[in-house]
Amino acid sequence: MHGLRIEENIDVVVANAENAAGGSGLTPVIYHELIGAGIDCITMGDHVFRRREIYSIMRGETKIVRPANFPHEAPGHEFTVLTARNKVRVGVFCLLGRVFMAPVDCPFQAANRVLSAMAPNVKVILVDFHAEATSDMQLMGRHLDGRVSAVLGTHTHVPTADEQILPEGTAFQCDVGMTGPHESILGRRIDRVLETAKTFRPTHFEVATGDPRIHGTLVDVDPTTGRALAIGRLVINQAEASRLASLTREC
Ligand SMILES: [Fe+2]
């Protein structure tokens, strides 16, 4: 991550880590590993509480947020405001979609509530919309167009080719994709998932290991207005990751 930051001149890195603990949930140890690796803020999704030991991190740390459309009593913060490397304040929150997902509170109302609670001088705001259906994601993009800097989707594990800047200046992409084994079914071993799909016999869906890739999206934002200036997809394979790691060693 440090090499990537150097090469792309990145001021702030936000990552969804809801599946970082062996494919589901997040643990305190992995949380600290990710922050130590150069991630500035972690968003979560429908698997946020799969590992109970994360509750204390969710409550006590300011570099991680839970979905803002969870009940108020759920552990964790609805949003956070960080200071990027270029000293710009950056607001971050995440929301869950409702189409083909477990029931949650209205994400549109939750987004309104969070934005009204955030200090008005926070101009740069990133929203992770963790959702299954592209229609749901597009609706959130339009709901927040001109009110936040970026609405970037996660959850499907597959990057979509619709990165764009919406008419009022919000960067948008339905899904930024997965960082993990590309040779897989959504990160799990192909043979196991295929066996269960074909026979209905339950198997253990082990996390796959083949062809690890980093998928992500780079957004350039005007810090004075919060409007997005550019958006681009990012794909890094293992060879490229090794080259970036060597940049870090040279510094
Ligand atoms: Fe998810």
Side-chain angles (χ1 to χ4, degrees):
M1 185 56 69
H2 297 297
L4 184 59
R5 293 190 81 132
I6 294 165
E7 188 149 279
E8 297 287 351
N9 195 23
I10 296 171
D11 291 308
V12 65
V13 179
V14 179
N16 184 299
E18 70 148 4
N19 292 323
S24 192
L26 179 65
T27 64
V29 169
I30 296 171
Y31 167 82
H32 289 296
E33 277 181 16
L34 293 173
I35 296 297
I39 291 171
D40 299 300
C41 184
I42 288 174
T43 56
M44 297 294 279
D46 50 318
H47 295 161
V48 55
F49 298 137
R50 284 292 174 92
R51 303 290 291 262
R52 296 170 59 89
E53 57 267 47
I54 202 63
Y55 291 178
S56 60
I57 294 286
M58 299 300 304
R59 290 192 183 101
E61 298 287 335
T62 57
K63 294 182 176 180
I64 185 168
V65 291
R66 64 155 169 80
N69 53 335
F70 270 14
H72 180 70
E73 293 75 12
H77 306 292
E78 290 191 343
F79 71 91
T80 192
V81 178
L82 321 158
T83 301
R85 293 195 174 191
N86 58 354
K87 307 300 180 200
V88 172
R89 304 223 308 149
V90 179
V92 179
F93 63 99
C94 63
L95 301 157
L96 290 186
R98 293 188 295 185
V99 178
F100 310 131
M101 305 276 286
V104 284
D105 294 343
C106 174
F108 303 101
Q109 291 179 2
N112 293 345
R113 187 181 68 248
V114 169
L115 289 176
S116 62
M118 210 175 280
N121 62 350
V122 178
K123 300 295 183 190
V124 179
I125 301 171
L126 170 69
V127 181
D128 168 9
F129 190 42
H130 196 79
E132 183 74 41
T134 49
S135 57
D136 219 13
M137 298 160 181
Q138 290 179 341
L139 284 166
M140 184 57 71
R142 296 295 172 161
H143 178 64
L144 294 177
D145 185 19
R147 304 164 69 195
V148 304
S149 308
V151 175
L152 302 176
T154 56
H155 177 69
T156 74
H157 300 212
V158 178
T160 55
D162 63 334
E163 71 275 17
Q164 62 196 287
I165 297 177
L166 297 176
E168 300 302 322
T170 294
F172 174 80
Q173 187 181 354
C174 275
D175 202 301
V176 301
M178 169 186 69
T179 291
H182 184 73
E183 183 71 11
S184 70
I185 303 294
L186 307 189
R188 305 289 176 158
R189 267 178 53 169
I190 297 167
D191 58 336
R192 297 286 176 84
V193 181
L194 200 54
E195 182 185 339
T196 295
K198 291 191 293 189
T199 67
F200 282 21
R201 285 199 306 264
T203 60
H204 176 53
F205 288 179
E206 265 182 278
V207 173
T209 57
D211 191 8
R213 297 185 189 182
I214 296 171
H215 280 138
T217 296
L218 294 171
V219 178
D220 189 15
V221 178
D222 181 337
T224 58
T225 64
R227 289 176 72 102
L229 302 171
I231 179 171
R233 270 181 284 152
L234 185 75
V235 181
I236 298 173
N237 61 20
Q238 195 158 21
E240 178 67 358
S242 298
R243 187 188 66 79
L244 290 167
S246 70
L247 291 181
T248 310
R249 285 193 294 274
E250 287 166 11
C251 291

